[in-house]
Amino acid sequence: MNQKTGNLTLDYLDADLAGTFKSTAGIGSADDKQVDALAAELNENGYVILESIISKEQLDTYREEIMPHLTRTGRNNFEGDKTQRVYGVPGKIYAADPMIAHPLVMAVLDRVMRPNFLLSQGQGINILPGEVAQPIHHDDAFYHWPRPRPHLGAATIWAIDAFTEDNGATVVYPGSHKWGPGAPPADAKVVKAVMPEGSCVLFLGTTWHGGGGNETDKPRLAFTAQYCEPWCRTQENYFLAVPKEMVKSRDEAMQRLLGYSVHPPFIGMVNGMHPKRCLQDD
Ligand SMILES: O=C(O)CCC(=O)C(=O)O
């Protein structure tokens, strides 16, 4: 606080005021040059593909644990008549955590989002044979703020099965994050995020994209993690969707992403204190 004028100063707005639980912003770790290059590509094209960055063992564990939860197909054409979805994944299993808090993804997001960005949605998606293409969209659309504008979020879609030309690979419109209002023009360039299993496509919340149609006879299994700026409302309410015991047993990175963190000076506080105190009091 500026004592003379009584105005909040910028220093105060950015200060980590918490005494006990310091900020865990900057949880990513990767080679700086690699991260610079990926962030530049993301800012230029609106998306980037990170190839083969989780292990076969992690993929297998996720597949085994998510499958019992994929019991329902969609309720509308956005969710997809032949697409199984499960929401609130961090409240059901731990096996998506290596994707949600992947160090390379975190490091790239640290370059394009404010410190202490949050997880906004964690969803399992299984596109079944015969599914048609999902309506294209950009994920930030529900934050009603006119385009062109900066992104307020970003998302990963992880290929648990390899994404191919014809099994429903995510379609992405390069450069569309810079577009103004309205749907993509008919002649807009579109690419398919064809990638090996264990890879993800990372795109900005303003980038137009959609799930592809599955013309094969096998499902296309994926996991998507969406992130938002630390001052935005998250799509999923993790305080209700993730049992406290499951939060307590997670590392600091996951706790922060699930909302047990503060965007300085005080967004996220509980009774004027850091929300992590609520993990201690019982
Ligand atoms: O499944 C995909 O490839 C994309 C899914 C998507 O964009 C969504 O459900 O919002």
Side-chain angles (χ1 to χ4, degrees):
M1 183 80 76
N2 179 319
Q3 296 299 324
K4 274 193 186 149
T5 64
N7 290 332
L8 289 176
T9 64
L10 213 57
D11 280 357
Y12 177 73
L13 288 178
D14 280 339
D16 182 13
L17 300 176
T20 306
F21 297 107
K22 301 313 280 178
S23 167
T24 55
I27 49 183
S29 65
D31 173 68
D32 266 355
K33 276 202 182 126
Q34 182 195 16
V35 177
D36 284 343
L38 293 170
E41 194 178 334
L42 182 59
N43 279 322
E44 178 58 25
N45 297 332
Y47 79 100
V48 66
I49 290 179
L50 308 176
E51 270 204 18
S52 307
I53 57 170
I54 57 168
S55 68
K56 172 99 175 62
E57 194 186 345
Q58 287 169 324
L59 285 173
D60 290 347
T61 309
Y62 171 79
R63 182 188 296 280
E64 193 183 316
E65 294 190 15
I66 204 69
M67 284 319 285
H69 296 281
L70 285 164
T71 53
R72 287 199 199 150
T73 48
R75 295 162 290 188
N76 49 55
N77 75 332
F78 189 84
E79 289 189 323
D81 290 340
K82 293 183 182 156
T83 299
Q84 297 171 316
R85 290 176 189 265
V86 53
Y87 295 93
V89 169
K92 297 180 170 71
I93 61 171
Y94 295 96
D97 290 15
M99 294 180 273
I100 293 170
H102 192 284
L104 182 57
V105 174
M106 295 295 99
V108 176
L109 291 184
D110 278 337
R111 298 279 208 280
V112 300
M113 296 183 69
R114 289 196 63 84
N116 293 303
F117 58 84
L118 299 168
L119 183 69
S120 182
Q121 192 181 136
Q123 191 193 147
I125 304 179
N126 197 26
I127 300 186
L128 301 176
E131 178 61 289
V132 296
Q134 183 188 38
I136 54 167
H137 57 281
H138 66 97
D139 289 336
D140 274 3
F142 44 74
Y143 297 125
H144 292 269
W145 189 14
R147 294 179 62 116
R149 61 163 168 81
H151 53 277
L152 297 172
T156 48
I157 300 196
W158 289 84
I160 308 301
D161 294 315
F163 282 15
T164 67
E165 286 288 336
D166 49 10
N167 78 347
T170 313
V171 297
V172 182
Y173 289 74
S176 59
H177 59 307
K178 297 176 183 167
W179 293 351
D187 60 352
K189 184 179 172 196
V190 56
V191 296
K192 289 183 181 178
V194 170
M195 52 189 173
E197 62 175 33
S199 311
C200 74
V201 55
L202 168 61
F203 49 83
L204 300 174
T206 38
T207 302
W208 283 83
H209 68 279
N214 186 350
E215 292 161 16
T216 70
D217 58 2
K218 295 194 177 63
R220 185 222 72 173
L221 184 61
F223 172 73
T224 179
Q226 293 188 22
Y227 308 86
C228 66
E229 292 289 22
W231 47 270
C232 287
R233 183 168 186 186
T234 59
Q235 295 169 67
E236 295 190 304
N237 183 333
Y238 291 123
F239 304 112
L240 295 174
V242 184
K244 223 174 180 182
E245 288 313 312
M246 286 187 83
V247 178
K248 282 185 183 178
S249 61
R250 282 179 151 114
D251 64 12
E252 289 204 326
M254 280 301 296
Q255 289 181 351
R256 177 203 113 190
L257 287 165
L258 291 171
Y260 293 77
S261 48
V262 166
H263 171 56
F266 35 58
I267 291 182
M269 65 183 170
V270 179
N271 294 324
M273 305 296 269
H274 198 286
K276 270 192 190 163
R277 287 177 185 266
C278 299
L279 298 175
Q280 290 186 313
D281 60 5
D282 49 28

